[in-house]
Amino acid sequence: MSSDDFSGLENFEDFESRFRNVAPKQRKHTPEDGFNKNKVVNQVLDKSTMFTMYEMINARIIAYVNGIVKAGKESVLFWAVDPKGKDVALKVYLTSTSSFKNRAQYIVGDPRFLHLKKGTRNLVYLWAKKEFRNLVQCEKKGIPAVRAIHVSKNVLAMDFVGTNGVPAPTLHETEVDENDYHQLIQLIIDLYKKAKLVHGDLSEYNVFKTENGLILFDFGSAVDTMHPNTQNFLERDIKNVSYFFAKRGLTVENPADILAKIIS
């Protein structure tokens, strides 16, 4: 049975009752961005998404969902737990948003995704698959990025970087030093030369700072180095990172020189 075909269910109320482990539980920590939790839950957990999450429970990818960690225009991040008690980050991409229509530039031209079906829902599904594939590529090449676990339609499961449902701090939220700068520049280089990827949307907001070093995340925009706009995306990533560290008072290398060294 597909997620869009519920005709085989004699009593849909009985079916909905089976989603108790999917419905978010009350979290101890209230998200700081002040979004309307109930509204977001209603937008995200439509019948198709609930069915997808229920299938993930049946497949023992997750056991239950604790609640919402963070919400954005394109996705909502849930704190889930797997059957072994390990925290899992569930990224649910909103199928009702129109924001993804502006994301075609990161897909069209990428040789890995030559067939793009029409429709927002198909674009969202492809975006989730794209982020999953990018994260897997990073893991294979030893790039410190969030580890992908599973993807199904608009739901991506990843390792939860943080403790007790609280994500690790990003560069934006921490004090930074020269080591952080050099480490991130090296990650950009390794991402390009080893994983053959350009993040495409890199900033201080999507880099975790942990005791074991920096960890990259939000790879939906990442493109293959064969993409026609690779150099433009790479240049923008370098400039964004350089501007952030310079704004924090650090001495940074000329972005043009870094770009030249990477693509030479």
Side-chain angles (χ1 to χ4, degrees):
M1 182 187 297
S2 71
S3 58
D4 295 321
D5 183 6
F6 294 85
S7 58
L9 298 170
E10 296 179 359
N11 190 335
F12 186 71
E13 291 182 359
D14 291 340
F15 180 75
E16 284 189 308
S17 69
R18 300 168 71 185
F19 287 107
R20 291 175 183 174
N21 287 339
V22 174
K25 300 178 181 179
Q26 183 66 37
R27 292 191 60 219
K28 294 181 180 179
H29 304 282
T30 302
E32 298 178 355
D33 57 6
F35 65 85
N36 186 319
K37 182 181 294 186
N38 292 329
K39 182 178 180 181
V40 172
V41 170
N42 291 336
Q43 288 178 339
V44 176
L45 296 183
D46 57 14
K47 294 176 183 178
S48 177
T49 301
M50 289 175 71
F51 192 95
T52 299
M53 294 171 77
Y54 179 70
E55 287 181 326
M56 292 172 70
I57 291 176
N58 275 345
R60 299 185 63 79
I61 296 166
I62 58 173
Y64 59 90
V65 179
N66 274 321
I68 295 175
V69 175
K70 183 180 180 181
K73 293 181 179 179
E74 297 178 350
S75 64
V76 175
L77 187 71
F78 287 86
W79 167 31
V81 178
D82 73 8
K84 295 182 178 179
K86 182 180 178 182
D87 288 346
V88 175
L90 279 188
K91 189 172 185 179
V92 179
Y93 304 83
L94 302 177
T95 56
S96 59
T97 182
S98 60
S99 299
F100 281 98
K101 294 179 180 179
N102 301 322
R103 294 292 190 172
Q105 62 176 317
Y106 298 99
I107 298 177
V108 177
D110 192 317
R112 301 171 300 168
F113 304 98
L114 298 177
H115 304 290
L116 179 59
K117 295 182 179 179
K118 294 182 179 180
T120 300
R121 186 176 293 270
N122 289 325
L123 182 58
V124 172
Y125 289 173
L126 181 58
W127 193 262
K129 181 180 178 181
K130 181 172 182 277
E131 179 156 13
F132 176 84
R133 185 165 175 176
N134 287 335
L135 291 174
V136 170
Q137 182 72 0
C138 287
E139 184 179 9
K140 287 181 179 179
K141 300 303 179 179
I143 307 298
V146 176
R147 188 180 73 89
I149 299 173
H150 176 83
V151 66
S152 181
K153 296 187 176 179
N154 62 315
V155 183
L156 171 63
M158 304 169 285
D159 279 350
F160 193 102
V161 181
T163 306
N164 295 325
V166 179
T170 63
L171 286 179
H172 173 72
E173 299 167 319
T174 60
E175 296 293 330
V176 295
D177 55 30
E178 187 175 326
N179 180 61
D180 295 322
Y181 167 70
H182 290 298
Q183 189 178 162
L184 188 50
I185 293 299
Q186 188 59 51
L187 284 178
I188 295 174
I189 296 172
D190 290 344
L191 193 63
Y192 185 91
K193 293 185 176 294
K194 295 180 180 180
K196 307 300 181 184
L197 292 172
V198 172
H199 189 284
D201 193 28
L202 190 60
S203 74
E204 64 271 23
Y205 295 97
N206 45 36
V207 182
F208 288 127
K209 183 173 181 178
T210 72
E211 294 181 355
N212 298 320
L214 304 184
I215 298 177
L216 306 177
F217 64 100
D218 277 351
F219 269 80
S221 299
V223 298
D224 186 275
T225 52
M226 295 300 291
H227 191 285
N229 289 326
T230 290
Q231 186 168 326
N232 292 333
F233 295 151
L234 178 60
E235 183 178 12
R236 186 174 63 192
D237 282 353
I238 296 171
K239 286 182 177 179
N240 285 344
V241 168
S242 300
Y243 177 75
F244 166 71
F245 282 102
K247 189 170 59 174
R248 288 291 185 93
L250 277 73
T251 300
V252 300
E253 190 175 351
N254 188 325
D257 292 339
I258 297 174
L259 177 64
K261 285 191 293 186
I262 294 176
I263 63 177
S264 61

